[in-house]
């Protein structure tokens, strides 16, 4: 497989191109590939989840064609990194189907699951969200107390020791503090060997390298978030981090879903983008896990809930990854409504069910545009786990999702406006590790909605 050193050389010596020219070339190529491979999303929401395996395979081939024809774009150096067809095929043959993480009794294996499979999903229950430093240890401890945790991601914060986090020295210091808080929190929860994932304070290589510490920071059994940027762009410093971290054995995660409403065009182009980013993340950063579905720009920005045909497009990406590679897709449930609201939980549960049906592991639940201390609670993660387990136990098929949950889907689609909600301290008791009474009432009400639809909670 092509080495990361060779990738670095191509970032330095590849064809020069302005960023705007890359964007327009990408738009043109995506449009061509969507047409050539006949990638179409349905017109009616009754086709909520893809059941056409040939469509998933066509989408994967379109992604391969893109990587062979276009490569990726190094943002910092304004150079194109190109690959041969054989390099791309060899890379796909080398993708990992299982990834070991953690140590001792907390060691876990994260693996690719089957579409409509019958095994419980792997879980990363929390963070990838902003928290203030006064809550850091206790929030980590609460998420680490969730028994099904496979790894726990870090978080960002606006200040450290009262200082704004600005410039390389403070960024490196904040990075060390983040992983130290993670390590201390999981130790307090009785999970000292659990894997943690570094959530970048910045994309500077120094921030990643500062987190390496086998005692109070990142160990070789831990991971790092190295994401391919929108429009298939990569960064020089992230490759620097990948080169060093790979030698230690860290696993990598790429937050690289396709984005409808950008230069890739509509959901069809976003399907291809999500798959292209999966291949590029493995080739350029050696990422092993990919939250690689499809989202709409308005949904990610928290402006409004955008569901159809995003749920369909997302399912195509997961299914294509599983059917055509050893890649391990993950679903990132990101409701637009805030904590302690019905629509937040409705969307979270629905997306967790769909993840199970599509064979995508579950990545941290979080409000799409979260406030500081308002992105998630451990209760959200526990509900996510319960919903996916119930879907698997009930043997729900792809073709059944819309019919079963139409009342909830219709309700969410008819009101796309995000609901304002609460902060974690207002709706979750961090001392007793449980939702506060008001939130528990909302949880019970929403769970009953899904029970009435036929979901058999354990």
């Amino acid at each position: 497989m092509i080495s990361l050193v060779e990738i670095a050389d191509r970032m330095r010596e590849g064809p020069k191109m302005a960023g705007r020219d890359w964007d327009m070339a990408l738009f043109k190529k995506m449009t061509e590939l969507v047409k050539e491979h006949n990638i179409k999303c349905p017109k009616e929401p009754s086709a909520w989840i893809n059941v056409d395996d040939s469509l998933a395979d066509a989408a994967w081939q379109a992604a391969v064609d893109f990587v062979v024809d276009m490569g990726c774009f190094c943002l910092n150096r304004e150079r194109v990194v190109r690959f041969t067809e054989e390099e791309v095929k060899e890379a796909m043959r080398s993708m990992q189907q299982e990834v070991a993480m953690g140590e001792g009794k907390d060691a876990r294996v994260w693996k690719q699951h089957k579409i409509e499979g019958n095994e419980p999903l792997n879980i990363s229950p929390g963070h990838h969200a902003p928290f203030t430093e006064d809550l850091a240890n206790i929030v980590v401890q609460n998420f680490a107390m969730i028994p099904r945790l496979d790894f726990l991601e870090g978080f960002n914060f606006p200040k450290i020791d009262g200082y704004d986090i600005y410039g390389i020295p403070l960024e490196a210091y904040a990075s060390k503090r983040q992983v130290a808080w993670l390590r201390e929190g999981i130790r307090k929860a009785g999970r000292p060997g659990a894997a943690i994932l570094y959530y970048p304070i910045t994309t500077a290589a120094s921030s990643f390298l500062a987190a390496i510490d086998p005692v109070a920071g990142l160990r070789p059994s831990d991971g790092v978030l190295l994401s391919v940027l929108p429009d298939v762009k990569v960064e020089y410093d992230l490759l620097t981090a990948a080169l060093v971290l790979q030698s230690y054995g860290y696993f990598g995660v790429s937050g690289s879903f396709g984005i409808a409403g950008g230069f890739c065009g509509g959901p069809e182009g976003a399907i291809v983008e999500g798959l292209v980013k999966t291949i590029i993340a493995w080739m350029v950063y050696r990422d092993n896990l990919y939250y690689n579905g499809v989202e709409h720009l308005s949904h990610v920005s928290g402006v409004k809930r955008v569901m159809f045909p995003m749920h369909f497009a997302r399912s195509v990406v997961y299914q294509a990854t599983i059917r055509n590679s050893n890649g391990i897709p993950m679903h990132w449930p990101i409701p637009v409504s805030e904590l302690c609201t019905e629509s937040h939980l409705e969307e979270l549960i629905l997306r967790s069910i769909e993840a199970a049906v599509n064979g995508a592991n579950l990545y941290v639940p979080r409000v799409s545009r979260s406030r500081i201390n308002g992105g998630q609670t451990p209760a959200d993660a526990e509900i996510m786990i319960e919903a996916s387990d119930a879907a698997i136990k009930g043997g729900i098929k792809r073709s059944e999702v819309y019919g079963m949950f139409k009342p909830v889907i219709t309700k969410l689609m008819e009101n796309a406006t995000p609901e304002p909600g609460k902060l974690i301290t207002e709706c979750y008791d961090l001392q007793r590790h449980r939702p506060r009474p008001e939130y528990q009432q909302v949880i019970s009400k929403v769970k009953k909605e899904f029970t009435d639809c036929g979901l058999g909670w354990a």
Side-chain angles (χ1 to χ4, degrees):
M1 181 174 170
I2 186 172
S3 71
L4 295 185
V5 173
E6 175 63 25
I7 298 288
D9 189 62
R10 293 184 191 184
M11 284 186 178
R12 185 173 64 90
E13 297 289 349
K16 192 77 173 174
M17 180 181 283
R20 180 68 177 177
D21 292 339
W22 169 264
D23 292 338
M24 298 313 297
L26 177 140
F27 175 76
K28 181 180 178 181
K29 190 63 180 180
M30 288 294 183
T31 303
E32 291 174 359
L33 290 170
V34 165
K35 184 176 180 179
E36 177 184 346
H37 292 277
N38 197 30
I39 300 170
K40 295 180 180 179
C41 289
K43 302 296 184 183
E44 296 297 328
S46 55
W48 195 253
I49 302 290
N50 178 55
V51 296
D52 181 0
D53 292 339
S54 66
L55 174 59
D57 296 344
W60 182 265
Q61 186 57 53
V64 172
D65 290 350
F66 181 98
V67 177
V68 172
D69 294 343
M70 295 279 291
C72 60
F73 183 74
C74 182
L75 184 64
N76 320 80
R77 299 190 59 81
E78 291 198 318
R79 292 189 183 271
V80 179
V81 180
R82 298 199 186 280
F83 308 100
T84 67
E85 184 175 1
E86 183 51 40
E87 285 172 340
V88 176
K89 288 181 177 179
E90 184 182 5
M92 289 190 297
R93 290 193 295 267
S94 304
M95 291 177 88
Q96 295 177 253
Q97 197 172 35
E98 294 187 350
V99 177
M101 58 186 66
E103 297 178 348
K105 67 180 180 64
D106 297 311
R108 298 289 186 269
V109 176
W110 195 285
K111 63 182 181 179
Q112 185 189 86
H113 290 266
K114 295 181 180 179
I115 301 165
E116 297 179 350
N118 55 16
E119 290 184 305
L121 302 177
N122 288 102
I123 305 293
S124 176
H127 305 319
H128 195 100
F131 287 97
T132 50
E133 54 187 307
D134 60 306
L135 291 181
N137 272 351
I138 193 167
V139 167
V140 172
Q141 181 181 350
N142 270 264
F143 279 100
M145 289 169 67
I146 297 172
R148 285 276 294 279
L149 172 146
D150 289 315
F151 72 84
L152 186 62
E153 187 171 353
F155 46 89
N156 55 13
F157 34 93
K159 291 179 179 289
I160 186 76
D161 297 346
Y163 295 96
D164 291 331
I165 300 171
Y166 180 80
I168 289 175
L170 277 168
E171 291 166 0
Y173 176 61
S175 298
K176 288 188 69 67
R177 288 294 297 274
Q178 180 201 138
V179 293
W181 280 325
L182 285 168
R183 188 65 64 209
E184 177 66 8
I186 64 172
R187 185 192 64 78
K188 286 182 176 179
R191 306 286 300 279
I196 61 174
L197 183 83
Y198 171 62
Y199 180 66
I201 297 295
T202 73
T203 58
S206 53
S207 296
F208 288 85
L209 304 186
I212 298 174
D213 183 341
V215 176
L218 291 181
R219 306 170 296 197
S221 59
D222 295 323
V224 291
L225 185 71
L226 297 163
S227 295
V228 178
L229 298 174
D231 306 318
V232 197
K233 295 173 182 176
V234 294
E235 295 188 73
Y236 210 45
D237 260 22
L238 288 189
L239 177 61
T240 304
L243 267 165
V244 175
L245 296 169
Q246 183 198 28
S247 66
Y248 285 87
Y250 299 102
F251 66 91
V253 172
S254 180
S256 300
F257 47 80
I259 301 178
F263 282 106
C264 289
E268 292 84 1
I271 289 172
V272 180
E273 182 191 19
L275 295 170
V276 168
K277 286 178 170 180
T278 300
I279 299 170
I280 293 296
W282 170 240
M283 295 185 71
V284 174
Y285 298 145
R286 295 299 189 267
D287 287 328
N288 317 97
L289 314 176
Y290 319 94
Y291 58 93
N292 66 344
V294 170
E295 300 292 346
H296 194 280
L297 191 58
S298 294
H299 189 108
V300 174
S301 303
V303 175
K304 65 177 180 178
R305 184 180 302 106
V306 183
M307 299 180 70
F308 184 77
M310 299 306 131
H311 288 249
F312 178 89
R314 193 178 300 131
S315 72
V316 175
V317 173
Y318 300 145
Q319 294 169 26
T321 305
I322 293 169
R323 285 180 53 81
N324 294 275
S325 77
N326 286 331
I328 306 174
M330 305 189 295
H331 177 63
W332 188 27
I334 49 171
V336 292
S337 291
E338 294 186 334
L339 303 179
C340 201
T341 63
E342 290 182 26
S343 58
H344 172 88
L345 292 174
E346 288 164 345
E347 192 172 352
L348 176 62
I349 293 170
L350 179 64
R351 290 177 65 139
S352 300
I353 293 167
E354 292 170 3
V357 170
N358 287 312
N361 288 311
L362 282 167
Y363 186 64
V364 295
R366 197 201 77 180
V367 177
S368 62
R369 199 71 173 175
S370 62
R371 291 186 287 160
I372 295 173
N373 297 337
Q376 60 200 206
T377 78
D380 303 329
E382 290 166 339
I383 291 165
M384 178 178 76
I385 294 167
E386 290 177 31
S388 66
D389 284 352
I392 292 169
K393 183 179 179 182
I396 297 173
K397 304 301 180 186
R398 290 178 284 175
S399 60
E400 298 173 337
V401 172
Y402 182 78
M404 282 187 68
F405 303 106
K406 185 177 178 181
V408 177
I409 292 171
T410 302
K411 178 182 175 183
L412 288 169
M413 289 182 68
E414 287 178 348
N415 184 7
T417 304
E419 286 187 82
K422 298 182 179 295
L423 301 178
I424 186 172
T425 49
E426 297 172 317
C427 63
Y428 194 87
D429 188 336
L430 291 165
Q431 300 296 330
R432 295 175 175 82
H433 186 64
R434 65 190 184 195
R436 295 193 184 277
E438 179 188 357
Y439 198 18
Q440 186 56 61
Q441 289 177 4
V442 178
I443 291 169
S444 298
K445 180 179 179 181
V446 172
K447 288 180 72 172
K448 185 178 184 303
E449 281 187 85
F450 281 86
T451 300
D452 292 343
C453 291
L455 186 67
W457 299 93

